[in-house]
Every structure is written in C-alpha cells, then in structure tokens.
Amino acid sequence: MARPQPLLFIFFLIANSFNADAAGVKFELIHRHHLHPGDPLPPRKLVHSDASRAQAISRKVRSRLNASGELPLHSAADYGVGQYLVKLNMGSPGQHLVLIPDTGSDLTWTKCRYKCNDDDCGRIKSGHRSRLFRADRSSSFKTVTCSSTSCQTDLADLFSLTICPSPLHPCAYNYSYVDGTFALGVFAHETVTFSLTNGRKARLRNVLVGCSESSTGRSLLGADGIMGLGYSPNSTAAHAAGVFGGKFSYCLVDHLSPRSASSHLIFGSYKDANVSVARIRHTELVLGAIGTFYAVRVRGISVGGTMLDIPAEVWDFGRGGGAFLDSGMTLTVLTTPAYEPVMAALGEPLRGFERVYYGEVGPEYCFNSTGFDERVVPRFVLHFVDGARFEPPVKSYVIDDAPGVKCLGLADGGAGPDASIVGNIMQQNHLWEFDFGKRRLGFGPSSCT
C-alpha cells in the first residue's frame, strides 16, 4: 500500500499473547537519539526492545510448535487492482476476512460495525459492498478507551493527534494513504485465528486492530481491509513473527495471475514451508532508518552492465534519501535523480517501437509491443552496499498494460529528498524474507507456486 501520510492516529497495543494448540500456522489467502533524563523513548528503541523480548519468547514457543505459519496468498488482478490478498479469521467466533498484506503500513483494519442493528449492519460507507466484521458478535472484541494508558501516553508521543471526544469513548483514527485510500474507525484488541499446518488452530490474542466504519479507495476492490506488516509493535508482523522465530517472508506470483495461482505469506522459516528458491542472497535489513518501513542500503543501479550516474545522496538515509520495499505499492518509485537516467537507459533500445501516450493518467513510457522480444531490453540490477545484487526478470519492469501495449513499470517520485520504493511488481517471482533478529533481508528467484 502507498505510504501513510505523516498525520496518522495510531495507538499502542497494550499486550499480546499467543495460544497454540499444535504445530505451525496456516492461512488461506484467496506497508540515533541521545537521551536525557525525562526524554521520551524514541519509537525505534521501543520497537527494538519489543523485538528482543519477542525473540526470547519465540524461542520457547517454537520449540513446542516446531513449524512455521503458512498463509496462502494470491494476486488481486481479477479485481483489476495491483495488490495481493490474504484470508484469515478474526474474532470469537472467527469471522472470515480478506485483507491486503502491506509492509508499508502498521495497522491491521477491516470494514466493520462497532455498534449496529440488523437493519444497517449490511451497509457501510465504502466504495463497494463487501464482507463486514460484526464486532458486536465477537466476545473477544475490546475497544481501546480514551482514558486508557495506551491511548493517552504509550503511543500518543509518537503521533501528532488523537481523536478522543471524552474519556469513555473509544480511541479513534483517521488513517490515510498517499493513493487516496482512507479508513475512519475505532481501535480495539481482538483475536486472530490461524489454521495450522497440522490441521489444528492457533490464536493470536490482543492484536491491535481497527474497526473501520467508513473507508474508501480503489485499492480496496476485492479486499475488506489491510493487514499492516510494517516494523512496529502495532503490526501483525511483529506479533506473528515474534512467535515464529522473529521473521516472516512472502513470495509473490506474477501480478497478472488469476486467484487460482497461490503463493505464500510465511511467519517463521520459509524452509519449513517447502518454498523452492533457486538461490538465496542476503543484504542488510535497515530497521528504523525510514519510519517503520523495511529499508535497504543501495549503492546504485546498473542497466545493461553499466552503472548509472546517480548522485550518492539519493540513497543516503541521513540526507532524506534511501530505499525500502513496499508490498502494497504497485509500481517501483524512484526519485527524479535516479528515475531519469534509468528511464533513458531502458528506453533507448525501445525507440524502434511506436510510443503510446496516456498523458498524466498512466506510466510515462508505453509502446506498441507488436514484435517485442524481451531480449532487446538491457538488464536492470539494483546493487546493495554490501555487494548483493537484485536482478529482477524483464517482465518485472517492462510490464503489460493493455493488449498489444507494454510500459516501463517505474514512476517518478519527484526531486526529493525522499526515499525510493521497490513496489510489488518489481518483487514478483522472488521470495523475500525479513529477519528481525539478524536484521537481514533474504531474497531469491522463485516460481512461488
């Protein structure tokens, strides 16, 4: 999902506990401070402290489970959007939901009714009719009240505004994304139920969730909400990965695949899930450098074996640059100093094809693909500081747009300084493993099926 705007209203997850009946989880899947006495603890240190605690707990839990959680995942192409979808049950008893797994955000929320009657619970203010979580039917749904410590202090220092009409009201949020998607609702703690690989069940309790009574956004077509997987104590990733070895991974099938082509979102080791990877490579996973995003240290980009002339500050976290991965962003976004040389290098061998122009509503460089052979396109390679290289297939950056039309799947992120974003199309047909404990990103080519 596109990055949330700075003014987000998020509140702290007071506690979480995990109850597993057996081994492994299975889901069906159809976003540097020097402290003085009295200074607030920076979010980065809060997350690091929670991650350390979670790793210690997970070692005990995993010794009993001896398995990883596996959540089948598929493309939302059938709905005409560039997202992926995961299916899970939430509440007690569990209610079926379909969410967008998003490493670019932290809050897990769903279209929901907190208080309603049978006459209006079937209707919700959203862009289309879909499943609706009935909070009134869940015995484990507990709102976070405005008078609670979590609402008033625990995360209030981390965000500029909270919505609290009175101490007895539930904490509310107005969560927005740069693509125009937004959700308005109340915070609660709820139970999320996982199917285990041995056929039994596991319950993740006291997960911070959002009950959104109003939401809109084209990205939500086919989805009931968003699963926040960012590096935050609030996210589903922090809870589930903490139980399963302090890591999670996913493998995205081709973005145009039908829903019958399933891949996986995995909590724990991808090896437990028998995911086939041709060759796994590793680079540093930089946590806390760009908010709760999963950042990487980039040295540069080469096209056709030639390193491009991109200013070093484009990749410098200290100067407002850098790069991160976002499973909820469709196209890869490069700031202008990187975007322009990359587009020039990739566009040069395509000059023989007739251009197709969409104006401001589509990608900048599209062309008539009659007679196109991807062998004419030079290889795009992302080089990391530690020597690792990410080499996506040509179809991940020369993408299908319409019958007989292809486009370069890159977007201009502006002059900056700002971070560049590796979107989900560029990530497709690769396994990506986010290891919190080792602060390491693993990746390698895979069929994902």
Side-chain angles (χ1 to χ4, degrees):
M1 179 62 59
R3 293 175 293 170
Q5 295 175 348
L7 295 182
L8 308 182
F9 316 128
I10 302 183
F11 303 84
F12 188 61
L13 174 61
I14 302 175
N16 72 82
S17 62
F18 182 80
N19 178 26
D21 304 312
V25 170
K26 185 175 183 179
F27 278 3
E28 263 186 283
L29 247 223
I30 303 214
H31 185 101
R32 76 199 140 187
H33 300 286
H34 177 70
L35 292 179
H36 299 282
D39 284 350
L41 188 64
R44 181 167 57 86
K45 292 188 177 293
L46 286 173
V47 174
H48 177 70
S49 175
D50 284 357
S52 299
R53 178 182 175 86
Q55 290 164 22
I57 295 173
S58 71
R59 284 193 291 270
K60 296 180 181 180
V61 176
R62 280 214 17 110
S63 66
R64 183 173 80 250
L65 296 181
N66 193 31
S68 294
E70 182 181 74
L71 293 68
L73 175 92
H74 69 80
S75 168
D78 288 348
Y79 298 97
V81 293
Q83 302 293 343
Y84 289 81
L85 301 173
V86 62
K87 182 171 72 176
L88 77 161
N89 287 326
M90 189 168 77
S92 303
Q95 299 177 42
H96 169 68
L97 300 169
V98 176
L99 305 179
I100 297 170
D102 180 21
T103 60
S105 63
D106 307 320
L107 178 66
T108 293
W109 63 267
T110 180
K111 298 169 186 176
C112 167
R113 275 292 163 86
Y114 163 49
K115 291 182 178 179
C116 61
N117 55 56
D118 290 334
D119 292 332
D120 66 5
C121 263
R123 298 184 296 273
I124 191 169
K125 297 176 182 178
S126 63
H128 71 293
R129 185 179 179 87
S130 62
R131 285 163 294 271
L132 187 66
F133 180 72
R134 289 289 301 268
D136 59 314
R137 295 180 178 177
S138 173
S139 62
S140 52
F141 182 87
K142 306 295 181 185
T143 58
V144 177
T145 63
C146 287
S147 61
S148 66
T149 301
S150 60
C151 181
Q152 291 186 350
T153 62
D154 289 336
L155 282 189
D157 291 338
L158 309 183
F159 301 93
S160 59
L161 184 62
T162 61
I163 304 176
C164 276
S166 74
L168 297 181
H169 277 75
C171 287
Y173 59 86
N174 185 352
Y175 205 78
S176 59
Y177 303 81
V178 295
D179 69 347
T181 299
F182 87 90
L184 177 66
V186 298
F187 287 95
H189 292 109
E190 186 54 287
T191 295
V192 176
T193 303
F194 298 79
S195 295
L196 299 176
T197 52
N198 65 356
R200 299 174 72 178
K201 301 290 183 181
R203 293 179 176 85
L204 193 63
R205 302 184 189 278
N206 293 322
V207 178
L208 182 70
V209 299
C211 172
S212 296
E213 295 198 281
S214 180
S215 63
T216 189
R218 187 178 182 277
S219 296
L220 298 175
L221 291 175
D224 306 318
I226 293 173
M227 177 188 284
L229 296 174
Y231 186 66
S232 161
N234 307 314
S235 80
T236 302
H239 285 80
V243 172
F244 292 96
K247 63 179 71 173
F248 77 96
S249 59
Y250 55 73
C251 199
L252 305 180
V253 297
D254 188 292
H255 70 288
L256 296 178
S257 298
R259 73 182 69 183
S260 59
S262 177
S263 58
H264 301 88
L265 171 63
I266 302 160
F267 292 105
S269 173
Y270 70 88
K271 295 179 181 178
D272 293 343
N274 295 318
V275 178
S276 177
V277 185
R279 178 186 177 188
I280 193 75
R281 300 184 181 187
H282 295 96
T283 192
E284 180 185 2
L285 181 62
V286 187
L287 301 173
I290 310 177
T292 59
F293 301 116
Y294 297 106
V296 288
R297 298 190 190 277
V298 175
R299 180 170 69 90
I301 295 174
S302 67
V303 173
T306 301
M307 289 295 293
L308 302 181
D309 185 14
I310 299 173
E313 55 264 28
V314 167
W315 316 117
D316 189 342
F317 300 127
R319 299 186 183 184
F324 63 89
L325 282 77
D326 187 350
S327 65
M329 179 73 78
T330 304
L331 298 181
T332 289
V333 179
L334 301 175
T335 56
T336 303
Y339 175 80
E340 290 181 345
V342 169
M343 293 293 285
L346 291 176
E348 178 62 28
L350 301 175
R351 292 178 63 182
F353 295 90
E354 179 186 2
R355 290 286 297 273
V356 175
Y357 295 93
Y358 290 116
E360 297 181 357
V361 298
E364 177 184 340
Y365 197 108
C366 298
F367 61 95
N368 185 321
S369 60
T370 302
F372 173 77
D373 186 333
E374 68 175 28
R375 288 175 295 183
V376 307
V377 180
R379 294 305 299 267
F380 171 100
V381 180
L382 192 63
H383 298 259
F384 299 106
V385 169
D386 51 19
R389 295 154 45 108
F390 169 49
E391 305 179 38
V394 172
K395 70 174 184 177
S396 294
Y397 51 94
V398 181
I399 63 176
D400 292 316
D401 183 75
V405 177
K406 291 183 180 291
C407 300
L408 296 181
L410 302 167
D412 188 347
D418 203 350
S420 295
I421 308 168
V422 181
N424 60 35
I425 294 181
M426 191 72 81
Q427 297 178 48
Q428 68 184 359
N429 293 122
H430 275 70
L431 173 86
W432 298 90
E433 182 182 61
F434 302 81
D435 190 326
F436 298 162
K438 295 181 178 179
R439 293 182 174 243
R440 186 174 72 173
L441 175 69
F443 58 95
S446 174
S447 66
C448 297
T449 58

